Amino acid sequence: MNAGHNPRFSYLYRPFLPRIPFYSAPQSNPLKFMMLATVRSVTGKPSSFLKLVAASRSASTWGKVPQGPPDAILGITEAFKADSFQQKINLGVGAYRDDAGKPYVLPSVRAAEKRILEKNLNKEYAPITGVPEFTKAAAALAYGAESPVLDKIAITQTISGTGALRVGGAFLERFYPHSKTVYLPNPSWANHKAVFSDCHMSVKNYRYYNKDTIGLDIEGLLADMKEAPQGSIFLLHACAHNPTGVDPTPEQWREISDVMKAQNHFPLFDMAYQGFASGDTVKDAFALRHFVEQGHQVALCQSFAKNMGLYGERVGAFSILTESAEEKKRVDSQIKILVRPLYSNPPVYGARIASEILNDAELNSQWLGEVKGMADRIITMRALLKGNLEKIGSKHNWDHITNQIGMFAYTGLKPEQVSTLANQYSVYATKDGRISVAGITSGNVERLAECIHKVSS
């Protein structure tokens, strides 16, 4: 066989060739000189060919993968950790903290874990759409335990709220019969755009936040909904809008519902804070339930990260309201087909915790009290921050701090003021002026107000 015509030659003979540094000249390395001469006589190719082969092998398969942009929140956390100042404040974290600034595990969650352990359950796979006791209870929590539509809801357990959005996006991209464009509020949670873009859907914005009033731009919002093509998909934050903390009033929600119904738009709700916003799970579900009552065929993404503190357990649900039992069966079958190649079936542990809490009357009552306690602490910190700013003589109107709701607040601070807060006062927040109210404590709120006053005066 002529090795010169055999493309496998270099691989077949490589184990038998001595390892010689190719950066040395052949004349200075007799063994290398003889090897190159031998290769030329056997392959019929010049010695430069071997150099070309070696060079091509040195190029990495992933050599052209570009560097991705750093995560904004991760950067804040890293800067905070590197700061040695004892009174530093981290307002970038997106998780609840107690009044000592520590992570908080709900006592009801600990009690549920104890009960689950005592049951000595197995570790078998859950069904594709998750733990049935959990999904049934999750639907009842969102739509209402007495809702007449519960038997028409196709629902699947998901990998928290992000997973719900991804499954929902994949379903809409595959089956929604109208526009494949999703309209997001401006601003919205940063991951919304990434999720729907990766689902191969077009992403556009509708007006939401008015930076001049630091409130809701209801006129712009309604105008954009009226101007969008009929049958468009609109993502709606059910409560505790992230990142602004600005929610429509019940009357404004009614206006939004009326316009969307007139335009035949599809409402996709993202509800990550039910109970955590106001402390009342029923009040926080008002928008969703009103839309259902008005005849909208809604879809819903739920997360139990915030309201149960199950951040790392990744517990969520995606649901769609259908017209009939027969339609529900078909939709459910297609959800299973979508989920199967994504992750086969969801993890059971977090869903068992949530199920235990939602289905046991005693634990449920305890949890409702605890989630109200978390919400009340956030509301109290808002009031204290505003009060301290007013007490030290700030001339700005800080009503928006208490008018907003939920974990996050838009302060109205400019990027350069946020930079000064970090560089001079060791107070860390995102450059758009958003702060996590969970990072405020009774021990640091006075200093925080002083720092904000200094950079905003």
Side-chain angles (χ1 to χ4, degrees):
M1 180 177 64
N2 186 347
H5 297 285
N6 184 357
R8 298 171 60 195
F9 172 78
S10 60
Y11 296 98
L12 293 172
Y13 284 79
R14 183 170 56 190
F16 306 102
L17 296 176
R19 296 182 180 273
I20 303 169
F22 280 87
Y23 50 78
S24 61
Q27 294 82 355
S28 63
N29 193 323
L31 182 58
K32 178 179 176 182
F33 182 83
M34 287 188 293
M35 187 189 80
L36 294 177
T38 302
V39 168
R40 179 166 187 167
S41 65
V42 174
T43 65
K45 297 183 182 294
S47 58
S48 60
F49 170 73
L50 188 58
K51 294 181 180 179
L52 180 63
V53 171
S56 66
R57 287 179 189 159
S58 66
S60 170
T61 303
W62 317 117
K64 294 187 178 180
V65 175
Q67 176 66 46
D71 183 272
I73 303 299
L74 181 60
I76 292 170
T77 301
E78 290 175 346
F80 174 79
K81 289 180 177 179
D83 193 329
S84 60
F85 184 56
Q86 290 297 311
Q87 292 180 292
K88 60 186 178 180
I89 302 173
N90 185 2
L91 302 178
V93 65
Y96 181 79
R97 295 290 183 263
D98 64 18
D99 198 46
K102 302 297 183 182
Y104 177 63
V105 180
L106 278 64
S108 59
V109 168
R110 291 296 193 204
E113 288 183 307
K114 183 178 179 181
R115 293 186 185 191
I116 292 167
L117 185 62
E118 290 171 351
K119 290 180 181 180
N120 196 29
L121 300 172
N122 61 45
K123 300 294 183 181
E124 292 294 301
Y125 292 122
I128 294 175
T129 52
V131 177
E133 296 82 4
F134 163 71
T135 53
K136 182 179 180 180
L141 178 69
Y143 295 91
E146 305 301 323
S147 174
V149 303
L150 286 178
D151 60 347
K152 298 178 183 178
I153 293 171
I155 186 168
T156 182
Q157 180 187 334
T158 58
I159 313 300
S160 201
T162 306
L165 289 159
R166 188 58 187 264
V167 172
F171 184 88
L172 292 171
E173 192 278 332
R174 187 172 293 187
F175 296 107
Y176 187 62
H178 306 299
S179 170
K180 305 294 185 181
T181 298
V182 179
Y183 286 82
L184 306 177
N186 185 22
S188 193
W189 182 47
N191 216 17
H192 280 146
K193 183 178 180 180
V195 167
F196 292 110
S197 295
D198 280 359
C199 289
H200 308 290
M201 300 186 79
S202 174
V203 178
K204 294 183 179 180
N205 293 115
Y206 63 92
R207 282 173 283 180
Y208 189 88
Y209 176 72
N210 186 327
K211 65 180 181 180
D212 295 325
T213 65
I214 318 182
L216 182 67
D217 182 3
I218 186 63
E219 292 81 11
L221 183 156
L222 294 175
D224 286 351
M225 286 185 169
K226 290 175 183 177
E227 292 173 7
Q230 288 215 355
S232 296
I233 301 167
F234 276 80
L235 183 133
L236 306 168
H237 294 235
C239 60
H241 180 272
N242 179 5
T244 69
V246 175
D247 282 359
T249 65
E251 184 53 42
Q252 288 170 334
W253 274 123
R254 293 185 182 96
E255 291 184 80
I256 294 169
S257 171
D258 291 344
V259 170
M260 289 191 66
K261 193 171 184 180
Q263 295 297 108
N264 195 33
H265 293 325
F266 185 81
L268 172 60
F269 280 96
D270 185 358
M271 188 155 64
Y273 296 91
Q274 187 181 6
F276 191 95
S278 68
D280 184 336
T281 57
V282 174
K283 183 177 180 180
D284 290 348
F286 170 80
L288 171 71
R289 296 181 187 183
H290 177 72
F291 271 62
V292 171
E293 289 170 3
Q294 295 304 304
H296 292 272
Q297 255 190 306
V298 303
L300 171 68
C301 302
Q302 289 174 269
S303 169
F304 289 83
K306 305 296 191 300
N307 59 10
M308 287 191 179
L310 297 175
Y311 301 97
E313 302 298 348
R314 314 308 292 147
V315 184
F318 171 70
S319 58
I320 299 179
L321 176 57
T322 65
E323 285 288 338
S324 64
E326 186 272 335
E327 185 174 278
K328 172 185 173 181
K329 184 177 180 181
R330 285 187 283 111
V331 170
D332 184 68
S333 72
Q334 293 295 340
I335 290 175
K336 290 176 181 176
I337 290 171
L338 284 170
V339 168
R340 179 63 171 151
L342 283 174
Y343 50 84
S344 284
N345 40 55
V348 297
Y349 186 68
R352 284 173 174 172
I353 294 172
S355 177
E356 194 76 24
I357 290 172
L358 293 173
N359 288 303
D360 182 89
E362 180 184 352
L363 271 185
N364 186 254
S365 178
Q366 180 182 341
W367 169 67
L368 290 173
E370 291 164 359
V371 74
K372 185 178 187 305
M374 290 192 291
D376 286 349
R377 193 186 91 74
I378 296 295
I379 293 168
T380 299
M381 291 304 108
R382 288 179 178 275
L384 285 174
L385 177 58
K386 177 190 173 187
N388 275 278
L389 282 164
E390 293 171 343
K391 185 171 67 175
I392 59 181
S394 175
K395 303 301 182 183
H396 294 284
N397 184 345
W398 297 101
D399 287 348
H400 57 277
I401 296 294
T402 50
N403 290 340
Q404 296 169 8
I405 194 169
M407 182 178 291
F408 300 107
Y410 253 31
T411 60
L413 294 175
K414 297 177 175 61
E416 58 271 21
Q417 294 171 326
V418 174
S419 295
T420 302
L421 276 176
N423 297 331
Q424 295 187 21
Y425 302 106
S426 296
V427 175
Y428 296 88
T430 56
K431 64 180 181 181
D432 56 5
R434 186 205 79 165
I435 64 172
S436 173
V437 185
I440 305 175
T441 69
S442 56
N444 67 23
V445 66
E446 185 175 346
R447 177 176 178 270
L448 174 61
E450 291 172 355
C451 295
I452 292 176
H453 176 55
K454 288 175 182 177
V455 302
S456 61
S457 296

